[in-house]
Amino acid sequence: MFNLEMSEATWSGLLALRQGTGEAVAGDLAYRLYGPIAGAPGRFVLAQVGQSLDGRVATPAGDARDISGEDGLAHLHRCRALVDAVIVGVGTVIADDPSLSVRMVKGLSPVRVIVDCHGTLKGSESLFHDGGAPVIVFRSASASGAEIPHAEIVNLEPKAGGLDPRDILDALAARNLHRVLVEGGARTIARFIDAGLVDRLHVAISPIIIGSGPMGISLPPIEKLAGAHRPATDVYNLGSDILFDCVFRSSEASAGQGEEIAVANQA
């Protein structure tokens, strides 16, 4: 296990690397963890989950506050600051009303992307009115939803079951948004993983036990462990949380990747 320490100088260096004006520092653990994100030359997809010891991300009633400790939250905000866009499903917006900002660290907030296949959002959600980073909402071309203020609506042709994650990434790339953080919910993350589109998966575990409630990742069931994902993994002690940095986009890194994976409405 690596003990991660982040100095102001190191973080400034990572932000410079993200802007293309800095270089990675060999042997520095912060660059080992964050360098692949900050220095990605093209499309890069990071999925991030913050969960309890028993794999829960909220109570059955939907309370997700304070699952991650302070250091786990700082890590999440660093990840946001190093990407161009952060993706969440509509269910996450409805349940948590997130701002998706980088208020805990220095840096620019990413473009906020919501997958709202069936046009469920009402337009009254906070991120449409907070004056923060731009917002993009992806809808099915056949959906009719409410007028959404201060957001770009992108209509995509749905595939079986919902919107194709590849189409979402292609639409973001057309807007020069190449480094992407998929932050939730469980099915949204699962569909990007199953489509073989995730380069890294970060699972931050906080030392609490909830006992019941939704899980952080909801992948399709498998019959045998031979079909399980077995990514190469580094483990970091963040302080309040333990982080598993899982490499998915490498040869032999994972198995069971599907071909026709769609992002459904309540992801």
Side-chain angles (χ1 to χ4, degrees):
M1 182 185 298
F2 302 113
N3 292 315
L4 184 71
E5 296 183 2
M6 181 65 72
S7 68
E8 184 175 344
T10 297
W11 180 239
S12 294
L14 283 163
L15 290 176
L17 180 62
R18 183 242 185 279
Q19 295 296 330
T21 59
E23 296 182 356
V25 178
D28 189 304
L29 290 178
Y31 280 88
R32 180 185 179 107
L33 175 60
Y34 297 110
I37 311 167
R43 178 176 292 180
F44 186 93
V45 178
L46 168 68
Q48 152 77 25
V49 178
Q51 64 184 42
S52 65
L53 280 173
D54 54 342
R56 313 292 178 173
V57 294
T59 67
D63 182 7
R65 295 184 181 278
D66 301 324
I67 284 184
S68 295
E70 182 176 356
D71 297 313
L73 288 173
H75 164 74
L76 173 60
H77 286 218
R78 290 186 198 115
C79 291
R80 291 176 182 170
L82 295 177
V83 299
D84 304 316
V86 54
I87 298 176
V88 294
V90 65
T92 297
V93 176
I94 292 172
D96 300 339
D97 197 22
S99 67
L100 304 175
S101 71
V102 298
R103 62 189 179 278
M104 294 186 70
V105 300
K106 181 174 67 174
L108 298 176
S109 293
V111 172
R112 298 172 290 182
V113 179
I114 307 168
V115 181
D116 183 18
C117 186
H118 299 302
T120 304
L121 294 171
K122 300 182 182 303
S124 58
E125 293 80 7
S126 295
L127 78 173
F128 298 124
H129 304 277
D130 62 8
V135 182
I136 299 173
V137 177
F138 284 100
R139 286 178 178 169
S140 167
S142 60
S144 59
E147 292 288 335
I148 303 295
H150 313 300
E152 178 185 2
I153 307 298
V154 179
N155 295 306
L156 298 177
E157 289 296 330
K159 304 293 175 62
L163 302 183
D164 191 320
R166 296 172 187 82
D167 293 341
I168 293 172
L169 293 181
D170 288 344
L172 293 178
R175 291 158 175 78
N176 202 33
L177 304 172
H178 301 285
R179 281 171 286 198
V180 175
L181 169 62
V182 184
E183 193 172 313
R187 288 190 291 275
T188 299
I189 291 173
R191 289 182 172 96
F192 276 85
I193 290 175
D194 256 0
L197 298 172
V198 171
D199 295 280
R200 293 288 180 101
L201 169 67
H202 285 182
V203 181
I205 299 178
S206 180
I208 61 172
I209 298 173
I210 300 175
S212 58
M215 306 294 288
I217 303 175
S218 181
L219 288 162
I222 59 173
E223 292 186 5
K224 297 183 179 181
L225 287 178
H229 295 273
R230 298 180 184 272
T233 302
D234 284 339
V235 183
Y236 293 83
N237 178 7
L238 300 179
S240 63
D241 300 58
I242 301 298
L243 178 71
F244 290 78
D245 175 23
C246 308
V247 180
F248 270 78
R249 289 291 289 273
S250 64
S251 60
E252 310 301 328
S254 62
Q257 295 173 346
E259 291 298 324
E260 292 293 336
I261 306 299
V263 180
N265 182 39
Q266 294 298 328

